[in-house]
Amino acid sequence: MRKQVFVMATAVAMLAVACKKDSNEMVDNSLYAKLGGSAMVADPTNSAQMIEKGRLGLRSVVDSSIFVIAADPKMQPFFAPLLTEVTAGNTTNLSILSKNLTDFFCVATGAKNFTYSGLGMAAAHDPARNPRMAKKSTNADYDAFVADVVIGAQKNKVPAELIQEVGKLLETLRSVIVQQ
């Protein structure tokens, strides 16, 4: 009988630990949480502002990836209007692209405090519906894009296992983005 009580007590204790001390507290296993989550940190681009650590990490990867893509001859044709604007000193649409991509990745990885209000993926990548998209993508183009995002993530020291998770997320979009 004592042995049964001990086993039962141990099982209850393990269950309590697994469910956390506060039953209202949920464990966030989202990719967003793994990328830093909702913990607030100082925003290095605006010292008077705080930013979620996950968003800061994703924004850093997005911005690094944009620069990698801009330098990639395979990807430059897709961003011709943007590159022309930036070369002329107009960074307005670059800022919009960074914000939209960061919002998209925040929401897609499980962030709770952000929304994505940009175009749907099919419309965003269809030149007939988005005049900023210079041409339709092929599988090879999408492979180059994913490779550039990996380089952007590596520049920000994102662990390989998280880069793989982001890669899986990107693969779920291939059929919508590749339109040729």
Side-chain angles (χ1 to χ4, degrees):
M1 178 75 167
R2 280 186 160 162
K3 185 175 180 181
Q4 290 173 330
V5 170
F6 176 76
V7 170
M8 178 84 81
T10 302
V12 168
M14 288 171 45
L15 183 58
V17 169
C19 291
K20 298 294 249 174
K21 292 175 187 159
D22 179 356
S23 62
N24 293 325
E25 185 179 335
M26 298 290 290
V27 175
D28 186 355
N29 290 324
S30 69
L31 179 53
Y32 186 76
K34 293 174 189 174
L35 292 166
S38 60
M40 299 302 285
V41 296
D43 186 341
T45 63
N46 183 350
S47 60
Q49 186 172 330
M50 299 295 281
I51 187 171
E52 287 189 7
K53 188 175 180 183
R55 183 173 182 81
L56 175 60
L58 286 167
R59 185 184 73 194
S60 298
V61 170
V62 164
D63 290 347
S64 294
S65 297
I66 289 171
F67 286 106
V68 172
I69 289 166
D72 183 346
K74 295 176 203 165
M75 298 305 297
Q76 287 173 351
F78 292 96
F79 296 91
L82 181 65
L83 294 173
T84 300
E85 293 165 357
V86 171
T87 301
N90 180 353
T91 59
T92 301
N93 286 313
L94 176 63
S95 295
I96 291 169
L97 176 63
S98 173
K99 182 189 178 312
N100 280 342
L101 282 174
T102 301
D103 286 346
F104 175 80
F105 277 111
C106 284
V107 171
T109 59
K112 305 290 186 246
N113 299 324
F114 302 99
T115 58
Y116 172 72
S117 59
L119 295 173
M121 291 298 104
H125 295 88
D126 182 353
R129 294 161 57 193
N130 179 6
R132 299 198 57 80
M133 179 55 67
K135 64 180 196 169
K136 290 184 177 185
S137 301
T138 65
N139 275 309
D141 297 327
Y142 197 69
D143 289 342
F145 168 77
V146 171
D148 289 347
V149 171
V150 167
I151 292 168
Q154 290 170 335
K155 286 179 179 272
N156 286 277
K157 299 180 178 33
V158 175
E161 62 274 4
L162 296 182
I163 292 174
Q164 287 178 342
E165 285 190 53
V166 172
K168 289 176 187 176
L169 172 67
L170 290 172
E171 272 308 310
T172 68
L173 301 170
R174 182 182 290 270
S175 65
V176 178
I177 292 174
V178 173
Q179 298 179 7
Q180 190 173 15

